[in-house]
Amino acid sequence: MASLKALKIRINSVKSTQKITKAMKMVAAAKLRRAQEAAEAGRPYASRLEKVVASLASTITVGPNSPKLLAGTGRDQVHLFVVTTSDKGLAGAFNTNIARLARRRAGELIAQGKTVKFYTIGKKGRAVLNRLYPNDFVHSIEPGDLGKLAFADARGYAEDLIARYEAGEFDVAHLFYSHFKSVLTQEPTEQQLIPVSIPAASGIATDGVSAAVEYEPDEEEILADLLPRNVAIQLFRAMRENAASEQGSKMTAMDNATRNAGDLIKRLNIVYNRQRQAAITTELVEIISGAEAL
């Protein structure tokens, strides 16, 4: 059984930890509002761009002269998983859930005889996946604070991915991120990034508007310009969603840690008071016994 001094030291240690977790919860709450506003502000543009690309893609016949980001390589053998997480931990299951979804999808594709490679944006995602797929990484990026990433960063990542795609390093790219719904709910999400999924895209609603549109220049030239931009926009949206999801998950995790520290302090105080009372009782018994002996 621990001594009174050891219990006192442990109680003070847990109290110090509780102060830290409480402070981290407040910081996460302050960052969450800005990150949530940024994520929600970026959704309409990314969604609308997807619809525009889908509308254009549905009007042309994919052929040899079509943009490669639309036509694909003609193969479906090598899949690249672009897994976006954060560089920091203490965010509950935020990073783990994204990596778990990527692992499950990788297992399904490998079982079908496909080759899966990984392109990670975020140190925590690489740490999880590297244990299972140490030889399947093509690149890893440590972006730092997700809330401070700009569109220029996403555009740089997109240009690197497109260059690797055009070099024939992979046939299909899948994007993994966490879609922010609320402070308590962040949904791991998979999205086909390269090439554009025409069957899925053609089913996107067009807001009930049906009109004959003539394009100048033609649709394929417009797509050649829009498709690389779409890759960058989808990456940027994923990182904005991740920034909000990270802070929401961190806020919840630190709140739970603060509550658990409070419960532990109560239990340790009970043990401390019982041992202290037992020590006092023992001393009184010794004093009374000594007095009776005289």
PDB file of all heavy atoms in Angstrom, residues 267-290:
ATOM      1  N   ARG A 267     -11.020   9.616  -5.917  1.00  0.00           N
ATOM      2  CA  ARG A 267     -10.703   8.280  -5.385  1.00  0.00           C
ATOM      3  C   ARG A 267      -9.412   8.302  -4.579  1.00  0.00           C
ATOM      4  O   ARG A 267      -9.318   7.670  -3.518  1.00  0.00           O
ATOM      5  CB  ARG A 267     -10.591   7.287  -6.543  1.00  0.00           C
ATOM      6  CG  ARG A 267     -11.918   7.002  -7.233  1.00  0.00           C
ATOM      7  CD  ARG A 267     -11.833   5.728  -8.067  1.00  0.00           C
ATOM      8  NE  ARG A 267     -10.857   5.854  -9.139  1.00  0.00           N
ATOM      9  CZ  ARG A 267     -11.152   6.301 -10.363  1.00  0.00           C
ATOM     10  NH1 ARG A 267     -12.389   6.660 -10.652  1.00  0.00           N
ATOM     11  NH2 ARG A 267     -10.212   6.372 -11.282  1.00  0.00           N
ATOM     12  N   LEU A 268      -8.411   9.024  -5.077  1.00  0.00           N
ATOM     13  CA  LEU A 268      -7.140   9.093  -4.338  1.00  0.00           C
ATOM     14  C   LEU A 268      -7.304   9.832  -3.017  1.00  0.00           C
ATOM     15  O   LEU A 268      -6.665   9.467  -2.015  1.00  0.00           O
ATOM     16  CB  LEU A 268      -6.080   9.792  -5.205  1.00  0.00           C
ATOM     17  CG  LEU A 268      -5.563   9.008  -6.412  1.00  0.00           C
ATOM     18  CD1 LEU A 268      -4.646   9.872  -7.263  1.00  0.00           C
ATOM     19  CD2 LEU A 268      -4.822   7.752  -5.964  1.00  0.00           C
ATOM     20  N   ASN A 269      -8.149  10.855  -3.006  1.00  0.00           N
ATOM     21  CA  ASN A 269      -8.393  11.570  -1.749  1.00  0.00           C
ATOM     22  C   ASN A 269      -9.070  10.673  -0.722  1.00  0.00           C
ATOM     23  O   ASN A 269      -8.785  10.757   0.480  1.00  0.00           O
ATOM     24  CB  ASN A 269      -9.260  12.809  -2.011  1.00  0.00           C
ATOM     25  CG  ASN A 269      -8.446  13.999  -2.477  1.00  0.00           C
ATOM     26  OD1 ASN A 269      -7.307  14.172  -2.051  1.00  0.00           O
ATOM     27  ND2 ASN A 269      -9.034  14.817  -3.334  1.00  0.00           N
ATOM     28  N   ILE A 270      -9.983   9.823  -1.182  1.00  0.00           N
ATOM     29  CA  ILE A 270     -10.637   8.878  -0.271  1.00  0.00           C
ATOM     30  C   ILE A 270      -9.618   7.926   0.332  1.00  0.00           C
ATOM     31  O   ILE A 270      -9.615   7.675   1.554  1.00  0.00           O
ATOM     32  CB  ILE A 270     -11.748   8.111  -1.015  1.00  0.00           C
ATOM     33  CG1 ILE A 270     -12.908   9.054  -1.364  1.00  0.00           C
ATOM     34  CG2 ILE A 270     -12.255   6.937  -0.165  1.00  0.00           C
ATOM     35  CD1 ILE A 270     -13.966   8.425  -2.245  1.00  0.00           C
ATOM     36  N   VAL A 271      -8.745   7.374  -0.531  1.00  0.00           N
ATOM     37  CA  VAL A 271      -7.701   6.464  -0.034  1.00  0.00           C
ATOM     38  C   VAL A 271      -6.771   7.195   0.923  1.00  0.00           C
ATOM     39  O   VAL A 271      -6.394   6.663   1.981  1.00  0.00           O
ATOM     40  CB  VAL A 271      -6.910   5.876  -1.222  1.00  0.00           C
ATOM     41  CG1 VAL A 271      -5.739   5.032  -0.719  1.00  0.00           C
ATOM     42  CG2 VAL A 271      -7.814   5.028  -2.107  1.00  0.00           C
ATOM     43  N   TYR A 272      -6.403   8.439   0.566  1.00  0.00           N
ATOM     44  CA  TYR A 272      -5.502   9.231   1.415  1.00  0.00           C
ATOM     45  C   TYR A 272      -6.132   9.480   2.779  1.00  0.00           C
ATOM     46  O   TYR A 272      -5.490   9.313   3.834  1.00  0.00           O
ATOM     47  CB  TYR A 272      -5.174  10.547   0.714  1.00  0.00           C
ATOM     48  CG  TYR A 272      -4.318  11.476   1.531  1.00  0.00           C
ATOM     49  CD1 TYR A 272      -2.930  11.335   1.555  1.00  0.00           C
ATOM     50  CD2 TYR A 272      -4.885  12.495   2.293  1.00  0.00           C
ATOM     51  CE1 TYR A 272      -2.147  12.199   2.318  1.00  0.00           C
ATOM     52  CE2 TYR A 272      -4.116  13.357   3.051  1.00  0.00           C
ATOM     53  CZ  TYR A 272      -2.738  13.199   3.055  1.00  0.00           C
ATOM     54  OH  TYR A 272      -1.958  14.044   3.815  1.00  0.00           O
ATOM     55  N   ASN A 273      -7.399   9.876   2.806  1.00  0.00           N
ATOM     56  CA  ASN A 273      -8.072  10.176   4.075  1.00  0.00           C
ATOM     57  C   ASN A 273      -8.232   8.920   4.932  1.00  0.00           C
ATOM     58  O   ASN A 273      -8.101   8.978   6.166  1.00  0.00           O
ATOM     59  CB  ASN A 273      -9.444  10.804   3.810  1.00  0.00           C
ATOM     60  CG  ASN A 273      -9.325  12.200   3.219  1.00  0.00           C
ATOM     61  OD1 ASN A 273      -8.331  12.895   3.464  1.00  0.00           O
ATOM     62  ND2 ASN A 273     -10.326  12.613   2.457  1.00  0.00           N
ATOM     63  N   ARG A 274      -8.504   7.774   4.274  1.00  0.00           N
ATOM     64  CA  ARG A 274      -8.631   6.527   5.033  1.00  0.00           C
ATOM     65  C   ARG A 274      -7.303   6.146   5.674  1.00  0.00           C
ATOM     66  O   ARG A 274      -7.259   5.752   6.854  1.00  0.00           O
ATOM     67  CB  ARG A 274      -9.117   5.414   4.113  1.00  0.00           C
ATOM     68  CG  ARG A 274     -10.600   5.498   3.757  1.00  0.00           C
ATOM     69  CD  ARG A 274     -10.986   4.412   2.778  1.00  0.00           C
ATOM     70  NE  ARG A 274     -12.422   4.455   2.477  1.00  0.00           N
ATOM     71  CZ  ARG A 274     -12.997   3.711   1.540  1.00  0.00           C
ATOM     72  NH1 ARG A 274     -12.275   2.853   0.827  1.00  0.00           N
ATOM     73  NH2 ARG A 274     -14.292   3.820   1.331  1.00  0.00           N
ATOM     74  N   GLN A 275      -6.228   6.253   4.894  1.00  0.00           N
ATOM     75  CA  GLN A 275      -4.918   5.899   5.454  1.00  0.00           C
ATOM     76  C   GLN A 275      -4.508   6.877   6.556  1.00  0.00           C
ATOM     77  O   GLN A 275      -3.910   6.489   7.564  1.00  0.00           O
ATOM     78  CB  GLN A 275      -3.865   5.875   4.342  1.00  0.00           C
ATOM     79  CG  GLN A 275      -4.009   4.700   3.389  1.00  0.00           C
ATOM     80  CD  GLN A 275      -2.733   4.473   2.582  1.00  0.00           C
ATOM     81  OE1 GLN A 275      -1.651   4.820   3.019  1.00  0.00           O
ATOM     82  NE2 GLN A 275      -2.889   3.878   1.410  1.00  0.00           N
ATOM     83  N   ARG A 276      -4.824   8.148   6.348  1.00  0.00           N
ATOM     84  CA  ARG A 276      -4.486   9.148   7.363  1.00  0.00           C
ATOM     85  C   ARG A 276      -5.265   8.883   8.647  1.00  0.00           C
ATOM     86  O   ARG A 276      -4.710   8.963   9.764  1.00  0.00           O
ATOM     87  CB  ARG A 276      -4.809  10.542   6.817  1.00  0.00           C
ATOM     88  CG  ARG A 276      -4.426  11.685   7.759  1.00  0.00           C
ATOM     89  CD  ARG A 276      -4.516  13.003   7.015  1.00  0.00           C
ATOM     90  NE  ARG A 276      -4.256  14.105   7.917  1.00  0.00           N
ATOM     91  CZ  ARG A 276      -5.179  14.747   8.629  1.00  0.00           C
ATOM     92  NH1 ARG A 276      -6.460  14.367   8.555  1.00  0.00           N
ATOM     93  NH2 ARG A 276      -4.861  15.745   9.435  1.00  0.00           N
ATOM     94  N   GLN A 277      -6.556   8.545   8.510  1.00  0.00           N
ATOM     95  CA  GLN A 277      -7.370   8.233   9.681  1.00  0.00           C
ATOM     96  C   GLN A 277      -6.859   6.982  10.384  1.00  0.00           C
ATOM     97  O   GLN A 277      -6.819   6.907  11.620  1.00  0.00           O
ATOM     98  CB  GLN A 277      -8.828   8.041   9.259  1.00  0.00           C
ATOM     99  CG  GLN A 277      -9.795   7.868  10.427  1.00  0.00           C
ATOM    100  CD  GLN A 277      -9.842   9.102  11.308  1.00  0.00           C
ATOM    101  OE1 GLN A 277      -9.895  10.216  10.809  1.00  0.00           O
ATOM    102  NE2 GLN A 277      -9.813   8.906  12.629  1.00  0.00           N
ATOM    103  N   ALA A 278      -6.440   5.985   9.573  1.00  0.00           N
ATOM    104  CA  ALA A 278      -5.900   4.761  10.162  1.00  0.00           C
ATOM    105  C   ALA A 278      -4.618   5.045  10.924  1.00  0.00           C
ATOM    106  O   ALA A 278      -4.381   4.483  12.011  1.00  0.00           O
ATOM    107  CB  ALA A 278      -5.642   3.726   9.067  1.00  0.00           C
ATOM    108  N   ALA A 279      -3.778   5.917  10.378  1.00  0.00           N
ATOM    109  CA  ALA A 279      -2.528   6.261  11.063  1.00  0.00           C
ATOM    110  C   ALA A 279      -2.809   6.992  12.371  1.00  0.00           C
ATOM    111  O   ALA A 279      -2.148   6.732  13.399  1.00  0.00           O
ATOM    112  CB  ALA A 279      -1.660   7.130  10.138  1.00  0.00           C
ATOM    113  N   ILE A 280      -3.792   7.901  12.352  1.00  0.00           N
ATOM    114  CA  ILE A 280      -4.145   8.633  13.574  1.00  0.00           C
ATOM    115  C   ILE A 280      -4.699   7.673  14.629  1.00  0.00           C
ATOM    116  O   ILE A 280      -4.348   7.750  15.821  1.00  0.00           O
ATOM    117  CB  ILE A 280      -5.177   9.737  13.246  1.00  0.00           C
ATOM    118  CG1 ILE A 280      -4.540  10.818  12.382  1.00  0.00           C
ATOM    119  CG2 ILE A 280      -5.745  10.348  14.527  1.00  0.00           C
ATOM    120  CD1 ILE A 280      -5.521  11.847  11.855  1.00  0.00           C
ATOM    121  N   THR A 281      -5.556   6.749  14.178  1.00  0.00           N
ATOM    122  CA  THR A 281      -6.125   5.772  15.111  1.00  0.00           C
ATOM    123  C   THR A 281      -5.030   4.907  15.725  1.00  0.00           C
ATOM    124  O   THR A 281      -5.044   4.620  16.937  1.00  0.00           O
ATOM    125  CB  THR A 281      -7.132   4.881  14.372  1.00  0.00           C
ATOM    126  OG1 THR A 281      -8.155   5.702  13.808  1.00  0.00           O
ATOM    127  CG2 THR A 281      -7.768   3.883  15.330  1.00  0.00           C
ATOM    128  N   THR A 282      -4.070   4.489  14.916  1.00  0.00           N
ATOM    129  CA  THR A 282      -2.959   3.674  15.424  1.00  0.00           C
ATOM    130  C   THR A 282      -2.149   4.435  16.469  1.00  0.00           C
ATOM    131  O   THR A 282      -1.768   3.878  17.513  1.00  0.00           O
ATOM    132  CB  THR A 282      -2.048   3.253  14.260  1.00  0.00           C
ATOM    133  OG1 THR A 282      -2.827   2.514  13.306  1.00  0.00           O
ATOM    134  CG2 THR A 282      -0.903   2.390  14.763  1.00  0.00           C
ATOM    135  N   GLU A 283      -1.895   5.713  16.204  1.00  0.00           N
ATOM    136  CA  GLU A 283      -1.130   6.518  17.156  1.00  0.00           C
ATOM    137  C   GLU A 283      -1.896   6.679  18.473  1.00  0.00           C
ATOM    138  O   GLU A 283      -1.305   6.619  19.564  1.00  0.00           O
ATOM    139  CB  GLU A 283      -0.826   7.882  16.551  1.00  0.00           C
ATOM    140  CG  GLU A 283       0.171   7.829  15.394  1.00  0.00           C
ATOM    141  CD  GLU A 283       0.383   9.189  14.761  1.00  0.00           C
ATOM    142  OE1 GLU A 283      -0.242  10.160  15.240  1.00  0.00           O
ATOM    143  OE2 GLU A 283       1.165   9.275  13.790  1.00  0.00           O
ATOM    144  N   LEU A 284      -3.219   6.899  18.370  1.00  0.00           N
ATOM    145  CA  LEU A 284      -4.023   7.035  19.583  1.00  0.00           C
ATOM    146  C   LEU A 284      -4.015   5.749  20.404  1.00  0.00           C
ATOM    147  O   LEU A 284      -3.926   5.773  21.641  1.00  0.00           O
ATOM    148  CB  LEU A 284      -5.471   7.405  19.214  1.00  0.00           C
ATOM    149  CG  LEU A 284      -5.692   8.835  18.709  1.00  0.00           C
ATOM    150  CD1 LEU A 284      -7.132   9.023  18.250  1.00  0.00           C
ATOM    151  CD2 LEU A 284      -5.363   9.840  19.816  1.00  0.00           C
ATOM    152  N   VAL A 285      -4.128   4.608  19.695  1.00  0.00           N
ATOM    153  CA  VAL A 285      -4.094   3.323  20.393  1.00  0.00           C
ATOM    154  C   VAL A 285      -2.766   3.153  21.114  1.00  0.00           C
ATOM    155  O   VAL A 285      -2.714   2.685  22.273  1.00  0.00           O
ATOM    156  CB  VAL A 285      -4.342   2.172  19.401  1.00  0.00           C
ATOM    157  CG1 VAL A 285      -4.045   0.825  20.058  1.00  0.00           C
ATOM    158  CG2 VAL A 285      -5.783   2.204  18.909  1.00  0.00           C
ATOM    159  N   GLU A 286      -1.674   3.518  20.468  1.00  0.00           N
ATOM    160  CA  GLU A 286      -0.349   3.395  21.093  1.00  0.00           C
ATOM    161  C   GLU A 286      -0.225   4.296  22.311  1.00  0.00           C
ATOM    162  O   GLU A 286       0.364   3.915  23.342  1.00  0.00           O
ATOM    163  CB  GLU A 286       0.748   3.719  20.067  1.00  0.00           C
ATOM    164  CG  GLU A 286       0.841   2.679  18.955  1.00  0.00           C
ATOM    165  CD  GLU A 286       1.863   3.072  17.890  1.00  0.00           C
ATOM    166  OE1 GLU A 286       2.338   4.219  17.947  1.00  0.00           O
ATOM    167  OE2 GLU A 286       2.152   2.247  17.008  1.00  0.00           O
ATOM    168  N   ILE A 287      -0.770   5.513  22.180  1.00  0.00           N
ATOM    169  CA  ILE A 287      -0.688   6.450  23.313  1.00  0.00           C
ATOM    170  C   ILE A 287      -1.492   5.922  24.503  1.00  0.00           C
ATOM    171  O   ILE A 287      -1.058   5.942  25.671  1.00  0.00           O
ATOM    172  CB  ILE A 287      -1.196   7.840  22.883  1.00  0.00           C
ATOM    173  CG1 ILE A 287      -0.210   8.461  21.898  1.00  0.00           C
ATOM    174  CG2 ILE A 287      -1.364   8.739  24.107  1.00  0.00           C
ATOM    175  CD1 ILE A 287      -0.721   9.740  21.268  1.00  0.00           C
ATOM    176  N   ILE A 288      -2.720   5.442  24.230  1.00  0.00           N
ATOM    177  CA  ILE A 288      -3.596   4.941  25.299  1.00  0.00           C
ATOM    178  C   ILE A 288      -2.967   3.692  25.928  1.00  0.00           C
ATOM    179  O   ILE A 288      -2.987   3.522  27.154  1.00  0.00           O
ATOM    180  CB  ILE A 288      -4.991   4.630  24.732  1.00  0.00           C
ATOM    181  CG1 ILE A 288      -5.671   5.926  24.303  1.00  0.00           C
ATOM    182  CG2 ILE A 288      -5.833   3.883  25.753  1.00  0.00           C
ATOM    183  CD1 ILE A 288      -6.968   5.736  23.552  1.00  0.00           C
ATOM    184  N   SER A 289      -2.415   2.811  25.089  1.00  0.00           N
ATOM    185  CA  SER A 289      -1.786   1.600  25.623  1.00  0.00           C
ATOM    186  C   SER A 289      -0.600   1.956  26.509  1.00  0.00           C
ATOM    187  O   SER A 289      -0.377   1.348  27.565  1.00  0.00           O
ATOM    188  CB  SER A 289      -1.348   0.699  24.460  1.00  0.00           C
ATOM    189  OG  SER A 289      -2.457   0.307  23.674  1.00  0.00           O
ATOM    190  N   GLY A 290       0.174   2.939  26.075  1.00  0.00           N
ATOM    191  CA  GLY A 290       1.329   3.369  26.881  1.00  0.00           C
ATOM    192  C   GLY A 290       0.908   3.968  28.203  1.00  0.00           C
ATOM    193  O   GLY A 290       1.523   3.724  29.249  1.00  0.00           O
TER     194      GLY A 290
END
